[in-house]
Amino acid sequence: MNGEASFPPGFQFGVATSAYQVEGHIENDWAEWERMGRLKEPKARCGIGVDHWNRFEEDLKLTQDLGAGAFRLSLEWARIEPERGRFDEEAIARYRRRLERMREVGIRPVVTLHHFTHPRWFHRETPWHERSCLESFRRYARACAGILRGLDPLVITFNEPTVLLLGGYVMGLIPPGISDGAKAASALVNLMRCHLLAREELLSAGKAELGISQNVLAFAPDRAWHPLDRALTHFASRSYNHAFIDALTSGKLRISMPGVVGARADLPEVRGSLDFIGVNYYTRAHLRFLPKRPFVQVRYRDVHQRGLTHIGWEDYPEGFCDMLLEMKRYGLPVWITENGIDDRSGERRPSYLYSHWRQLLQAQRQGVDLRGYLYWSLLDNFEWLEGWGPRFGLYRVDFDTLERRPTPACAYFRRTALSRELLAPQEEASPEPGMAS
Ligand code: FCB
């Protein structure tokens, strides 16, 4: 062994994307939200994205060049079922061909069924807080099961359900833009039921492993001495990081964020419906109690003077290990389904990878059953409310010409994925021979 440590046998390196953020040419609830001027920059539009819809082969090649063995993408419901009950066979066939291509080149598909976006009809006709969503999601999941048949994918039914609900049903910042605790609680229970329905549909079509992607934040009290900041930290960690996974493993949903949201339900049917836990980790959040609504302030502090990342988040690799250790209690395999940095020059990304991989290996040595690491993201892309500012991509995309160019982290990623050993990044300013440019 030459490196500091080796990744476990069978451990997969890969990259993550989501349809709306890269494909382009999609008409869904987010496109509507943009036209309503609801992004930070009200005139920003996703539009043609980074045209991944038409450049899939090129992007697959870029993925192979990274030495990756897994590729996470999402299926866009609005493409598959643009009108309620009308399924677009052409879009379905195109997704199917892409996933087959991935298998042909030895890349395992990691497929998200729901990554924040919905067809435009969804919130009007069968929203998450009404029971009718169950039938809609089941039908959509059946179509997805057809697309995935025989490919033995890793399937993420929902990406960050907690973020979807907090953003869409509590804070009203993302579609459907509701701020209603009772509706949020019904939606939450329905999302879990939908997860189960999707599981039934997928498994009846063949072999697949199913999970969700959970956004986890390493919470800390803003004022370490303040009892209310500490109480908030405790509630947030339980409700934000764990409630969803807890419910899907134990059948008991318990959420309590005083003044913000609360829910309690027994759902024995969803118990044991995860084959793995998907972890999306980016940062630590310091919580401060406010004496008036919304009662909580979230702060990103540069505690170790590493410099906040460009999006304004703390670079806190230590929290990665802590969060992974917290997942040990579920006794399930863990996939890192997202981790990455908004680094607009691309210079900082290799050391970000190194520091986070170190923490991951530490968690593994302490008994976390880690199966893979998917970097967010393959390409620079459209970052939701932030629009086109952030750059998370291993490949830099020129947003005018759509040309993709490797950032220095590509060579480092490839070297690690192929050697499976952790080595500190060297000066890797120029791409290795054989890297696409
Ligand atoms: C996650 C989202 C993903 C991307 C990253 C930066 O919360 O799942 O789509 O926006 O953040």
Side-chain angles (χ1 to χ4, degrees):
M1 184 177 98
N2 307 315
E4 290 171 25
S6 303
F7 289 88
F11 186 86
Q12 294 264 24
F13 285 86
V15 287
T17 61
S18 91
Y20 190 66
Q21 293 177 272
V22 291
E23 284 183 0
H25 325 274
I26 293 173
E27 182 51 44
N28 61 13
D29 60 340
W30 257 94
E32 257 181 357
W33 198 244
E34 290 163 18
R35 288 193 293 270
M36 286 160 66
R38 299 298 301 266
L39 308 193
K40 266 201 179 156
E41 160 54 68
K43 291 210 170 77
R45 299 287 182 269
C46 180
I48 65 165
V50 292
D51 201 29
H52 176 67
W53 190 240
N54 296 310
R55 291 166 200 249
F56 176 75
E57 275 299 325
E58 181 189 343
D59 293 341
L60 182 62
K61 174 76 173 59
L62 298 179
T63 307
Q64 288 178 270
D65 287 345
L66 293 168
F71 185 135
R72 177 177 175 208
L73 53 72
S74 70
L75 302 177
E76 181 65 37
W77 189 354
R79 274 196 199 284
I80 293 176
E81 191 183 358
E83 287 159 40
R84 189 173 169 197
R86 182 175 75 75
F87 288 83
D88 183 332
E89 294 306 328
E90 211 183 299
I92 288 176
R94 194 143 159 183
Y95 276 129
R96 169 80 196 175
R97 273 200 304 280
R98 299 183 164 200
L99 295 161
E100 285 171 349
R101 279 291 295 138
M102 284 161 64
R103 275 298 186 197
E104 276 165 30
V105 301
I107 289 186
R108 184 168 191 201
V110 180
V111 180
T112 316
L113 305 190
H114 184 277
H115 197 122
F116 295 158
T117 56
H118 309 80
R120 282 173 51 183
W121 53 266
F122 180 79
H123 304 299
R124 288 192 275 272
E125 299 187 30
T126 64
W128 292 120
H129 56 275
E130 288 175 14
R131 279 196 77 86
S132 54
C133 70
L134 302 181
E135 195 38 46
S136 291
F137 197 73
R138 184 194 272 283
R139 262 193 330 208
Y140 167 60
R142 194 171 301 148
C144 297
I147 295 173
L148 296 170
R149 191 181 298 271
L151 296 173
D152 186 17
L154 200 71
V155 176
I156 294 159
T157 54
F158 288 97
N159 178 67
E160 302 187 345
T162 322
V163 173
L164 174 73
L165 291 174
L166 257 185
Y169 272 86
V170 177
M171 297 160 89
L173 289 174
I174 65 173
I178 295 174
S179 186
D180 181 323
K183 285 185 177 157
S186 313
L188 173 64
V189 168
N190 283 338
L191 285 185
M192 285 193 233
R193 294 189 177 124
C194 284
H195 164 80
L196 188 67
L197 295 176
R199 182 180 179 82
E200 288 168 12
E201 291 295 334
L202 267 289
L203 291 182
S204 72
K207 196 163 163 256
E209 286 170 79
L210 284 108
I212 60 154
S213 283
Q214 176 67 39
N215 181 278
V216 295
L217 285 162
F219 289 108
D222 196 40
R223 295 160 294 185
W225 52 269
H226 201 295
L228 291 172
D229 291 6
R230 289 161 64 146
L232 274 179
T233 302
H234 169 77
F235 284 122
S237 156
R238 282 211 340 217
S239 296
Y240 185 94
N241 290 341
H242 288 286
F244 215 90
I245 303 172
D246 251 335
L248 294 179
T249 49
S250 72
K252 291 186 193 324
L253 169 71
R254 304 284 182 268
I255 289 200
S256 139
M257 207 47 205
V260 183
V261 66
R264 207 184 155 85
D266 287 338
L267 297 154
E269 67 277 20
V270 303
R271 189 172 160 210
S273 62
L274 292 178
D275 300 319
F276 69 91
I277 294 172
V279 168
N280 293 356
Y281 175 79
Y282 289 93
T283 189
R284 165 160 68 179
H286 282 85
L287 300 182
R288 174 178 278 251
F289 173 76
L290 297 177
K292 57 178 182 3
R293 279 197 183 277
F295 302 116
V296 194
Q297 188 189 12
V298 179
R299 311 174 96 198
Y300 301 105
R301 290 172 34 186
D302 188 17
V303 176
H304 298 282
Q305 275 95 53
R306 295 170 179 147
L308 294 179
T309 66
H310 284 131
I311 204 168
W313 296 343
E314 182 182 4
D315 181 356
Y316 187 56
E318 296 84 350
F320 195 23
C321 180
D322 295 344
M323 293 299 102
L324 292 175
L325 290 175
E326 285 191 13
M327 296 300 156
K328 228 167 99 173
R329 66 176 82 150
Y330 300 109
L332 287 169
V334 175
W335 277 78
I336 310 309
T337 45
E338 289 182 26
N339 172 244
I341 181 172
D342 168 19
D343 173 16
R344 300 187 193 177
S345 74
E347 280 157 22
R348 195 168 163 183
R349 191 167 293 110
S351 64
Y352 178 93
L353 285 174
Y354 173 65
S355 59
H356 284 74
W357 284 337
R358 272 184 87 167
Q359 296 291 330
L360 178 151
L361 286 174
Q362 192 161 326
Q364 194 251 331
R365 281 194 295 275
Q366 291 181 56
V368 185
D369 180 6
L370 285 159
R371 302 293 174 92
Y373 173 93
L374 308 179
Y375 177 80
W376 182 272
S377 183
L378 171 66
L379 304 163
D380 289 338
N381 58 52
F382 178 79
E383 179 49 38
W384 307 116
L385 294 175
E386 303 281 330
W388 290 107
R391 290 186 176 273
F392 282 91
L394 283 170
Y395 290 91
R396 184 180 179 87
V397 179
D398 179 323
F399 293 136
D400 296 321
T401 64
L402 299 174
E403 187 194 356
R404 284 89 159 119
R405 275 186 177 281
T407 66
C410 286
Y412 180 54
F413 189 98
R414 176 185 165 86
R415 177 156 63 86
T416 312
L418 295 182
S419 72
R420 320 191 56 76
E421 302 227 338
L422 184 66
L423 292 156
Q426 292 145 4
E427 285 301 298
E428 294 188 279
S430 56
E432 276 179 11
M435 294 284 309
S437 55

